[in-house]
Amino acid sequence: MSVIWKNKYASLSEPQPLFTVLIAAAGSGRRMGGVYKPLAALCGKPMLVYALEAFEKSGFVKQMVVSAPVEHHEEIKALAKAYGIAKLRHIVSGGETRAESVICAFRAAFPDKSAVTPFLAVHDAARPLITEKQINDVFFACVRFGAAVAATKVRDAVKYTGNDCVITEEIDRSGLWQIQTPQAFDTDIFHTALATVPKEQAALAVDDGALVMQAGFQVMCVETGFANFKVTYPEDLAMAEAILAARAQKTE
């Protein structure tokens, strides 16, 4: 049985601006044929803008920091202005890995104690289909339990094979989740994980939630559905556009 996170915000019923959101947009785009994914067009709008708009709408978000290659800083700044993204505070250069890019954004967001928000979240710019409701669901869970990640339950049968691709084992999928972003944490928990997990061990963490777990903290999964998938390959753009078109029809 899960234990409710003990802090003064645990019983919060309405969003409050308690979160800093770090958006990782420093990837090389190698699997997209060298295209810089965050600025790839989806239905005529840069992919990154969809995520920025969703977090802008959330009453939980106080500020955002984007980690991106320096050659795209001015373009991202111009897009934020054009689309009315008022909560974007900093655009910083990323590191050689995603983890290093997140740390760069973390440091830029909190230059001193006065700038620290009680909670923070990390989101991949390559997940443009996140919605305001999904963000709030994850953030409410984080406020309650201290750490929560967007995820979706595995739907298909899962098998294990050897190097010869011959199935050797059936795997029970009932407790399996595909982990997504945003991943949200009590800021003290995340800072503790950064400070205490050895660098070599941290390098093995598949995501920020895994890093927090390595530090001994509990992380909750929040169902956000398949549509919050990561745009990785060129064909993913067409799928994302189809989902956006379907959403637009529902609102007409």
Side-chain angles (χ1 to χ4, degrees):
M1 183 176 179
S2 299
V3 178
I4 294 179
W5 182 245
K6 299 297 184 181
N7 69 49
K8 64 181 179 180
Y9 304 109
S11 60
L12 204 67
S13 60
E14 295 292 333
Q16 293 182 15
L18 304 171
F19 282 79
T20 291
V21 179
L22 313 178
I23 299 180
S28 64
R30 176 176 51 83
R31 287 175 291 185
M32 283 282 288
V35 173
Y36 181 58
K37 283 191 295 184
L39 297 184
L42 283 178
C43 298
K45 185 187 296 186
M47 188 189 307
L48 174 62
V49 172
Y50 288 96
L52 291 174
E53 288 180 328
F55 286 106
E56 181 77 19
K57 291 175 184 176
S58 172
F60 270 119
V61 178
K62 182 176 182 178
Q63 63 174 351
M64 291 181 273
V65 178
V66 171
S67 175
V70 65
E71 62 266 27
H72 296 295
H73 286 195
E74 290 303 317
E75 189 171 359
I76 293 171
K77 190 182 299 183
L79 285 171
K81 183 176 181 181
Y83 286 94
I85 309 300
K87 295 179 183 177
L88 179 59
R89 299 287 187 265
H90 306 285
I91 304 170
V92 300
S93 297
E96 292 185 4
T97 66
R98 181 186 180 281
E100 290 174 354
S101 296
V102 169
I103 291 172
C104 289
F106 180 83
R107 290 171 177 165
F110 306 139
D112 54 58
K113 289 184 178 181
S114 66
V116 175
T117 52
F119 303 93
L120 66 86
V122 182
H123 186 67
D124 295 324
R127 294 186 189 273
L129 302 179
I130 191 69
T131 67
E132 178 189 1
K133 181 185 181 304
Q134 291 167 342
I135 290 167
N136 288 349
D137 287 346
V138 174
F139 288 5
F140 268 121
C142 173
V143 165
R144 236 188 124 194
F145 298 107
V149 298
T152 189
K153 290 181 179 179
V154 172
R155 302 177 178 184
D156 300 318
V158 180
K159 318 280 186 177
Y160 183 82
T161 74
N163 292 333
D164 57 2
C165 296
V166 174
I167 295 172
T168 60
E169 185 181 350
E170 303 278 349
I171 298 174
D172 180 10
R173 70 174 186 267
S174 60
L176 296 181
W177 294 72
Q178 290 176 276
I179 304 303
Q180 306 171 345
T181 66
Q183 301 189 1
F185 313 99
D186 176 279
T187 301
D188 286 341
I189 284 178
F190 191 72
H191 184 263
T192 297
L194 290 178
T196 60
V197 176
K199 191 173 183 180
E200 300 77 16
Q201 184 180 337
L204 300 176
V206 295
D207 58 16
D208 304 290
L211 176 67
V212 166
M213 288 178 65
Q214 287 181 6
F217 296 101
Q218 174 180 280
V219 178
M220 307 299 294
C221 282
V222 178
E223 178 66 65
T224 45
F226 169 77
N228 185 33
F229 68 91
K230 189 175 183 179
V231 174
T232 304
Y233 300 101
E235 55 267 30
D236 294 338
L237 292 169
M239 183 159 44
E241 288 192 327
I243 292 171
L244 288 169
R247 288 178 179 176
Q249 285 186 339
K250 285 184 178 180
T251 59
E252 289 179 355

